[in-house]
């Protein structure tokens, strides 16, 4: 709950103030929320996966076996889903970071060098070795 509250505070501050404070509060709130989801996964993931498995159990024997397996060993189900959540989060974080770095680099280059190619004629048509 503290992570969600910090995220709400960050959103409110971002709309009324400028600076890095809302970003820092938002990062802290996001980290707390992520840790809360990971720690609480043992409690809610087996129930969610079991309910979905029971709904899909009508489709065949593989779904029945999967649903029974999630109920039989809920800690393994939670550990597997936690590992998957961490992996997806890392891939998303790196993709977002790369896209942000690319956009920042492009904006910085565009502000410092507003043209892509510049041709200048200083009045000379030959170089010192006689070539044009």
């Amino acid at each position: 709950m503290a992570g969600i509250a910090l995220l709400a505070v960050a959103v409110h501050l971002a709309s009324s103030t400028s600076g890095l404070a809302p970003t820092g509060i938002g990062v802290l709130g996001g980290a707390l929320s992520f840790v809360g989801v990971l720690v609480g996964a043992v409690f809610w993931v087996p129930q969610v996966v079991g309910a979905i498995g029971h709904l899909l159990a009508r489709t065949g024997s593989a779904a029945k076996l999967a649903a029974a397996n999630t109920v039989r060993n809920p800690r393994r189900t939670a550990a597997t889903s936690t590992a998957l959540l961490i992996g997806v989060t890392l891939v998303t974080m790196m993709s977002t970071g790369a896209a942000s770095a690319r956009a920042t680099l492009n904006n910085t280059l565009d502000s410092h060098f507003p043209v892509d190619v510049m041709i200048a004629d200083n009045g000379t048509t030959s170089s010192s070795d006689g070539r044009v």
Side-chain angles (χ1 to χ4, degrees):
M1 292 305 273
I4 294 171
L6 283 175
L7 286 171
V9 167
V11 168
H12 177 69
L13 286 177
S15 64
S16 61
T17 62
S18 63
L20 291 177
T23 304
I25 294 171
V27 167
L28 182 62
L32 280 175
S33 298
F34 183 73
V35 169
V37 167
L38 288 180
V39 170
V42 174
F43 302 109
W44 63 270
V45 167
Q47 281 80 20
V48 171
V49 173
I52 292 172
H54 287 301
L55 289 174
L56 294 176
R58 300 177 188 138
T59 62
S61 60
K64 286 180 188 176
L65 182 62
N69 195 25
T70 60
V71 174
R72 189 177 323 123
N73 197 344
R75 289 193 183 268
R76 183 175 57 199
T77 303
T80 303
S81 65
T82 300
L84 182 63
L85 177 65
I86 290 171
V88 169
T89 302
L90 287 174
V91 168
T92 303
M93 180 187 68
M94 295 305 291
S95 298
T96 304
S100 298
R102 185 181 318 121
T104 301
L105 181 64
N106 285 338
N107 289 340
T108 303
L109 285 174
D110 286 342
S111 67
H112 288 305
F113 305 104
V115 295
D116 291 332
V117 175
M118 188 164 135
I119 299 174
D121 184 13
N122 60 1
T124 60
T125 57
S126 63
S127 61
S128 60
D129 60 353
R131 289 187 281 158
V132 176

